Amino acid sequence: MVYWQTSRRRIALDRTLVMGILNVTPDSFSDGGHFTEIDTAVARAEEMISEGADIIDIGGESTRPGSDRVTVDEETDRVVPVIQAIAKRFGIPVSVDTTKSEVAKAAVDAGAEIINDISGLRFDDRIANVANDYNTGLVLMHSRGEFESMHSQPPVDDIMAEVAADFLRSIGLALGHGVKSENIVLDIGIGFGKTFEQNLELIAKLDKLVVEFDKFPLLVGTSRKSFIGKVLDGAQPGERLSGSLASVAIAVWNGANIVRVHDVKETVETVMMVTQLKMET
Ligand code: 7PJ
């Protein structure tokens, strides 16, 4: 049995888990800032839990193209009360989507048990110190470039090799700070510094990375992302459900251990269906 160790529990990864996205960013591209109030955020978390979410991922800084950075204080003020309320009210594991160690520490003190770093420790490697100090789960996502330039990176030739090499660097940094392997989950970082074709390639060939990094669980986040809009002739974020579910199906088929999504109910059903089919291979 494979487990993911967090500061509060050992999460069994005997099936693909569903991580529900909860944005507390006023400028978030698909939630439109509707979930800024604590009560609304708690209600949305409750809804996702009732739909079968296994983890709630809470983020206070939008990383969509053109977003401005928020300060440590602003980001902390956005996420901490929401994390506190959700961790206290529900038993579910909470992760914090941040690249700042100060925010990560405040979030963990508020009840988060996983740190989800979209920079894979490139922006602030003290994230690893917080993860080590508290024994939290740590998601190391692949991305390229700095915050402002990560969506306009010149493409690399071989994205599979690039992601693998960068995974090794992030893992090395984490282990060097004392983080244990059992706390680490890797993420291919769909939409971050990849071409349209490379996003598709990473999902289609995910099984190669699953084999190459078999000591680490893999997380995949495709939900409503722009590569889906491009495949679907310009579909807007709210019109990308079928595309999101199709990409989840292939990611799960290829061995993804966790999927990060907006649409929990539909994703849970998709995961159940693919899991049952895969058992016959
Ligand atoms: C991801 C994320 C992802 C992980 C975002 C969005 C953009 N964290 N945070 N993986 N994407 N681990 O949700 O569209 O793919 S923000």
Side-chain angles (χ1 to χ4, degrees):
M1 172 75 85
V2 180
Y3 292 97
W4 185 14
Q5 182 68 51
T6 77
S7 45
R8 297 194 167 203
R9 74 199 88 201
R10 245 176 18 151
I11 301 174
L13 297 173
D14 51 342
R15 58 181 176 87
T16 302
L17 303 186
V18 174
M19 173 186 267
I21 301 169
L22 188 59
N23 289 315
V24 286
T25 53
D27 61 346
S28 163
F29 89 103
S30 56
D31 286 329
H34 291 117
F35 300 119
T36 51
E37 300 292 325
I38 299 168
D39 287 349
T40 320
V42 171
R44 177 66 188 132
E46 186 165 31
E47 183 175 40
M48 290 196 287
I49 292 164
S50 76
E51 292 176 351
D54 299 292
I55 300 168
I56 303 291
D57 186 44
I58 301 175
E61 180 174 72
S62 174
T63 49
R64 73 169 173 177
S67 302
D68 288 325
R69 293 223 80 167
V70 296
T71 63
V72 166
D73 287 346
E74 167 89 48
E75 193 179 336
T76 303
D77 289 348
R78 287 181 190 175
V79 298
V80 160
V82 172
I83 290 169
Q84 245 159 14
I86 291 169
K88 193 171 149 200
R89 182 127 163 221
F90 312 109
I92 194 162
V94 169
S95 81
V96 60
D97 187 344
T98 189
T99 59
K100 303 188 186 82
S101 57
E102 300 90 341
V103 176
K105 183 176 185 312
V108 172
D109 283 332
E113 61 194 83
I114 296 160
I115 305 170
N116 173 24
D117 178 4
I118 60 122
S119 80
L121 302 177
R122 293 182 307 110
F123 294 176
D124 180 358
D125 67 2
R126 291 165 302 175
I127 289 250
N129 295 117
V130 181
N132 178 44
D133 290 346
Y134 291 84
N135 195 34
T136 68
L138 178 61
V139 178
L140 299 172
M141 197 198 82
H142 180 266
S143 55
R144 301 174 54 238
E146 296 310 305
F147 186 88
E148 294 77 13
S149 63
M150 63 185 170
H151 296 291
S152 55
Q153 287 296 299
V156 291
D157 223 39
D158 182 348
I159 196 64
M160 300 298 290
E162 179 89 0
V163 168
D166 290 344
F167 274 171
L168 289 178
R169 192 160 45 216
S170 291
I171 293 164
L173 255 172
L175 299 178
H177 282 77
V179 176
K180 294 189 289 298
S181 289
E182 64 187 16
N183 297 87
I184 297 173
V185 163
L186 303 174
D187 186 328
I188 53 179
I190 291 299
F192 289 82
K194 287 109 188 165
T195 65
F196 166 68
E197 291 83 4
Q198 287 173 342
N199 286 312
L200 299 171
E201 181 181 357
L202 279 164
I203 299 162
K205 297 182 183 165
L206 188 72
D207 55 323
K208 309 263 189 288
L209 290 169
V210 169
V211 171
E212 197 171 343
F213 291 89
D214 61 354
K215 288 194 172 53
F216 300 95
L218 272 169
L219 194 160
V220 176
T222 59
S223 189
R224 302 183 185 174
K225 283 184 178 172
S226 61
F227 79 102
I228 296 171
K230 185 157 176 177
V231 173
L232 303 180
D233 299 325
Q236 294 305 296
E239 304 166 339
R240 297 174 188 165
L241 176 59
S242 310
S244 299
L245 296 175
S247 62
V248 160
I250 300 304
V252 174
W253 185 265
N254 281 334
N257 301 93
I258 306 163
V259 290
R260 179 182 177 277
V261 302
H262 299 89
D263 303 286
V264 172
K265 179 177 185 288
E266 295 86 347
T267 301
V268 166
E269 292 174 356
T270 301
V271 169
M272 286 171 73
M273 197 67 217
V274 176
T275 303
Q276 199 74 33
L277 281 161
K278 214 183 165 212
M279 280 167 58
E280 302 299 328
T281 56

